[in-house]
Amino acid sequence: MKKIKIASLPGDGVGKEVVPAAQTVLKAISEVHGGLQFEFTEYPWSCEYYLEHNQMMPEDALDRLQDADAIFLGAVGNQKLVPDHISLWGMLIKIRREFEQVINIRPAKLLKGITSPLTNPKDFDLLVVRENSEGEYSEVGGRIFRGEDEVAIQNAIFSRRGTERAMRYAFELAAKRRKHVTSATKSNGIVHSMPFWDEVFQSVKSDYPNIVTDSQHIDALAAFFVTQPQRFDVIVASNLFGDVLTDIGAAIMGSIGIAPAANINVNGKFPSMFEPVHGSAPDIVGKGIANPLGQIWTAKLMLDHFGEEELGVKLLDIIEDVTAAGILTPDLGGKYGTADVTAAIVERVHKL
């Protein structure tokens, strides 16, 4: 029996609805598989927890999480309770940084039965590899002076190790897909970090002669995501550029509610974390209509991470079978609720 210990962090808002839904699906997969078992330990850390304890997580939170094989996160944030910079840096980003989750991967694919806002999406199937530990989201900088003389300084940090690591990860993924890597750059406007990024990309690609490559400026690339998404396979991008591109990827799929993500620790010292792209969606909390597909697709990425790629493929096929059958939540133009979509997926899992 292969046992996988999962730290479950439903977090805020609809996270408390979609995480249990995805866990139900994983339990069904475990039952059908027979040789795979998931052990979930739930932690109640959230903005509500912050109001009671004045911190998003307890002091020993990372010690507790470190014992898990993976972290399964729902959503973090509720501006009505806690400012976003406190909730994110006190939980989500803290876990990413201290557990060295240096790679973020986010796929975008046209699913059967879901209408893309694009007139002709042409069955796109792409994957963004985002450098997840430095770049434009570094903490280096500060403010000086006050009043009309006030100056804010934000330093973007690009290390050769971090940049090359993300690029090699992208090339390795492309080798298993359609063998094409696109680099997101802006070397015609950002005069230090982006020429450096381009130089590292040129160096890395020489080690992968069987992979076709191209380099696109981020503004043009964002436009191509809308006009020609089918041309892309794997895209490697800096922290900020990857963040922007993946939200576009979610949008052209039809709803941010179906977009998954994985924060990968590549050195094996700490657990990786899996989370959907969507936020806590406080406007629909408690209505039973939150889309669970993003969290369930995220579970698919977690299966892949643990070497259960065949199961992952089957789960994504089931998700597409459900969407093709028109069993959709309101964000996708459907009339079904969270429980309905989850039940439809579980029913199909039991037929595997």
Side-chain angles (χ1 to χ4, degrees), residues 44-343:
W45 307 328
S46 63
C47 289
E48 292 176 353
Y49 182 93
Y50 181 91
L51 293 182
E52 185 175 351
H53 300 277
N54 202 36
Q55 55 186 354
M56 290 297 295
M57 302 187 297
E59 296 297 331
D60 66 344
L62 296 181
D63 291 334
R64 296 195 219 176
L65 294 176
Q66 188 170 344
D67 291 334
D69 296 314
I71 301 167
F72 201 43
L73 176 68
V76 178
N78 186 337
Q79 285 187 331
K80 293 182 178 180
L81 300 180
V82 180
D84 275 348
H85 70 279
I86 292 177
S87 60
L88 264 66
W89 283 88
M91 186 172 171
L92 175 64
I93 297 178
K94 184 178 180 66
I95 295 171
R96 284 181 181 174
R97 295 288 170 90
E98 298 201 26
F99 279 175
E100 299 177 21
Q101 294 167 351
V102 296
I103 302 291
N104 180 277
I105 57 175
R106 295 182 179 181
K109 182 179 186 293
L110 184 65
L111 299 181
K112 298 174 184 176
I114 295 180
T115 302
S116 167
L118 302 180
T119 302
N120 188 5
K122 296 183 179 178
D123 294 328
F124 63 85
D125 181 358
L126 57 87
L127 179 65
V128 176
V129 174
R130 169 187 172 192
E131 200 292 315
N132 205 38
S133 64
E134 51 184 38
E136 303 89 348
Y137 291 176
S138 85
E139 297 176 72
V140 179
R143 296 188 186 189
I144 57 175
F145 310 129
R146 293 293 181 268
E148 64 180 14
D149 293 324
E150 187 171 13
V151 176
I153 301 169
Q154 179 72 49
N155 293 330
I157 305 298
F158 286 78
S159 70
R160 181 171 293 275
R161 181 176 68 170
T163 300
E164 182 173 329
R165 182 171 52 203
M167 291 174 178
R168 290 194 180 279
Y169 199 93
F171 275 94
E172 294 295 333
L173 287 176
K176 301 176 184 178
R177 290 171 51 96
R178 301 196 304 277
K179 296 180 171 56
H180 189 283
V181 175
T182 299
S183 169
T185 184
K186 190 57 181 172
S187 50
N188 63 347
I190 303 176
V191 298
H192 296 299
S193 60
M194 286 294 105
F196 171 79
W197 175 278
D198 293 347
E199 290 165 14
V200 176
F201 186 73
Q202 290 298 317
S203 175
V204 171
K205 81 173 190 178
S206 65
D207 292 334
Y208 298 88
N210 296 323
I211 305 294
V212 178
T213 65
D214 69 330
S215 184
Q216 299 286 340
H217 292 304
I218 184 62
D219 45 346
L221 184 53
F224 288 143
F225 259 45
V226 175
T227 60
Q228 303 174 35
Q230 76 282 356
R231 68 182 281 187
F232 299 108
D233 179 20
V234 176
I235 301 95
V236 62
S238 67
N239 215 331
L240 174 60
F241 291 175
D243 199 3
V244 173
L245 288 174
T246 51
D247 274 12
I248 298 174
I252 63 176
M253 281 198 290
S255 170
I256 201 169
I258 62 177
N263 301 283
I264 304 298
N265 169 274
V266 297
N267 61 22
K269 295 180 181 179
F270 304 102
S272 296
M273 180 166 61
F274 301 84
E275 54 169 327
V277 175
H278 66 71
S280 58
D283 56 319
I284 61 169
V285 170
K287 297 181 179 180
I289 59 172
N291 193 334
L293 293 185
Q295 194 78 48
I296 295 170
W297 193 348
T298 294
K300 183 267 187 198
L301 298 183
M302 188 164 64
L303 289 170
D304 293 342
H305 180 70
F306 287 112
E308 301 292 341
E309 294 182 351
E310 184 177 347
L311 275 178
V313 169
K314 289 179 179 178
L315 179 54
L316 187 55
D317 287 344
I318 286 173
I319 289 173
E320 283 207 78
D321 190 56
V322 168
T323 58
I327 305 173
L328 307 172
T329 45
D331 60 304
L332 294 171
K335 61 181 180 180
Y336 294 88
T338 310
D340 300 318
V341 174
T342 305

